Amino acid sequence: MTDNPEEPLIANSQLAEGGDRHEDNHDIEHAHDPRPGKHHISPPGLFIWLLTFSAGISGLLFGYDTGVISATLVSIGTSLSSRPLTSLDKSVITSCTSLFALLVLPFASSLADDRGRKRVVLFADTLFIIGALLQAFSHTVEMMVVGRSVVGVAIGAASFVTPLYIAELAPATHRGRLVTMNIVFITLGQVVAYIVGWVFGTYGSPETTGWRWMVGLGAAPAVAQVVILLWMPESPRWLVKEGRSEEARGVIARIAGTENDAQETRREVDAILKNIEIEVREEAMATRFDGAGHGGNAMSAWKEAMRELFRVRRNRRALAIACLLQGLQQLCGFNSLMYFSATIFTMVGFSEPTLTSLVVAVTNFAFTLVALVLIDKVGRRRILLWSLPFMMTGLVLAGYGFSFIELPDSETSSPKTTGAQGGAIIILTSIMIYVAGYAIGLGNVPWMQSELFSLNVRSVGSGVATATNWSANFVIGLTFLPLMEALSPSWTFVLYAVICAVGYGLISRVYPETAGLSLEEAATLLEADDWGVR
Ligand SMILES: O[C@H]1[C@H](O)[C@@H](O)[C@H](O)[C@@H](O)[C@H]1O
């Protein structure tokens, strides 16, 4: 495979394998050809940006609700069940969110196929609002756990459907950037949560109402998104699958914009619509469950799609890659920092650990913006292979920094060793290098997962990959503190570096470049014997 993402990444002969598909695809290839001067696709217009921003509110909520918990836990005091929180309370309150995010995925993906992508966004918003209110008004630990679990369901559904919805609306040439916008919103939500947590924790009356505002504020963007949803269109790919091609044409035409002359725009819209229709038709013929989703039982259609996911080679490969990337995104240990950075910086001896930990959220956000600029130019595969070495370097350096520090007996006392200050600076710097590397690559590329799957399994495939993400997230959240104790902080960070190194090897063997390809082309690439890598 070429290393230059500006070059066509799929040979005509590969597309021709489908027989009449080649003829049908002639116009389409031009419409999607990423080479400069060869394509007629306009840059994303105002409409697609507005859509991405509207959908991105889900990302903001995802980030806010995952980020806000660390400050909330230290502010609750005795206001729940009239006693201080035990460690078990804290673990349950934190981890029930990831667990429920995981549990909802099969339902969210079948709902997305059966009722459409927009309905799932609405479903998630409703739960974001209910969950925020339940938390804000809770007086017992149990009620707080229920509130966090409801928010978990919302986060799980949103984390699955938003990238899918944006990817299905976006023109091929800008898809990476637009999907990355969702991660920009997630990381922005985390920054906002850290700031809100710090402000209410420092200047509010944290134990009485401060923390209630922190969690309750999560309802506001969800209410805004419900209103905005009224004008948002359904995904054209889903509409075609439902036999509503004329509506799909309308949506594609609005996305294509009016920058080209009318005739050219019409050709472009026709080509894109035709491409989607061909794929839907081919899949209906190739699969045994012709017409699944057209009024059939949602559960049996879902089961059939699952079977298809594992039966067909290109689907299996897409799934393996998507799960590899999602698993690695979490097992590399990033969210240990997101959830416990204040604890780490306290251990290391910083006087304002919550403020210092803001560095993690801000670096993550800032470098996600860098990824936004680079992703479609550099390509997914290359950006991952470039950024992973930075992550490994950061992790090993952090491990080295920890070797200077003899940990205090309790989290609140200061470290004892003389080299501690130098160690602390090494740790802070190396964590920034690691987070920057993460944000540029692994933090966002796995969410491009939907472009790996063909339409009939796109929703279930993305669902399984997202479930991998949440399972690994749950494992990391649960094991980080015990690992620090059992292995020492130095070796815990080295362990994450080893996981990144293994990930590097696997990615270079199985993950082909998909930048600039239409969703249909990207799925075809996986048929090749070499997984499309060369
Ligand atoms: O892509 C996001 C992002 O990187 C967030 O910062 C992280 O907390 C999430 O787990 C991840 O899925």
Side-chain angles (χ1 to χ4, degrees), residues 343-357:
T343 313
I344 298 171
F345 292 135
T346 308
M347 266 167 30
V348 171
F350 283 100
S351 56
E352 289 241 39
T354 40
L355 199 57
T356 316
S357 66

Side-chain angles (χ1 to χ4, degrees), residues 62 183 186-187 190 329-330 334-335 364 438 443 447 469 473:
F62 169 168
I183 322 294
I186 295 176
T187 54
Q190 290 172 331
Q329 182 190 77
Q330 297 302 324
F334 171 78
N335 278 316
N364 189 29
Y438 168 85
W447 291 118
N469 180 295
N473 184 319

Side-chain angles (χ1 to χ4, degrees), residues 30-70:
H30 283 282
H32 283 296
D33 193 331
R35 286 172 294 184
K38 291 264 183 167
H39 65 82
H40 310 294
I41 292 239
S42 343
L46 185 63
F47 180 63
I48 185 79
W49 278 115
L50 281 178
L51 275 178
T52 308
F53 273 86
S54 312
I57 297 176
S58 304
L60 193 81
L61 288 160
F62 169 168
Y64 187 84
D65 280 297
T66 50
V68 84
I69 191 62
S70 61

Side-chain angles (χ1 to χ4, degrees), residues 64-80 85 90 93-94 135-136 138 144 148 193-194 196-198 200-201 206-207 209-217 339 354:
Y64 187 84
D65 280 297
T66 50
V68 84
I69 191 62
S70 61
T72 306
L73 286 180
V74 295
S75 309
I76 281 175
T78 55
S79 46
L80 289 181
L85 294 179
K90 289 185 186 177
I93 289 172
T94 309
Q135 290 178 83
S138 58
M144 186 69 178
R148 290 300 299 167
Y194 268 55
V196 167
W198 175 65
F200 278 97
E207 291 203 14
T209 53
W211 70 269
R212 295 185 189 279
W213 280 105
M214 289 179 208
V215 288
L217 275 176
Y339 304 148
T354 40

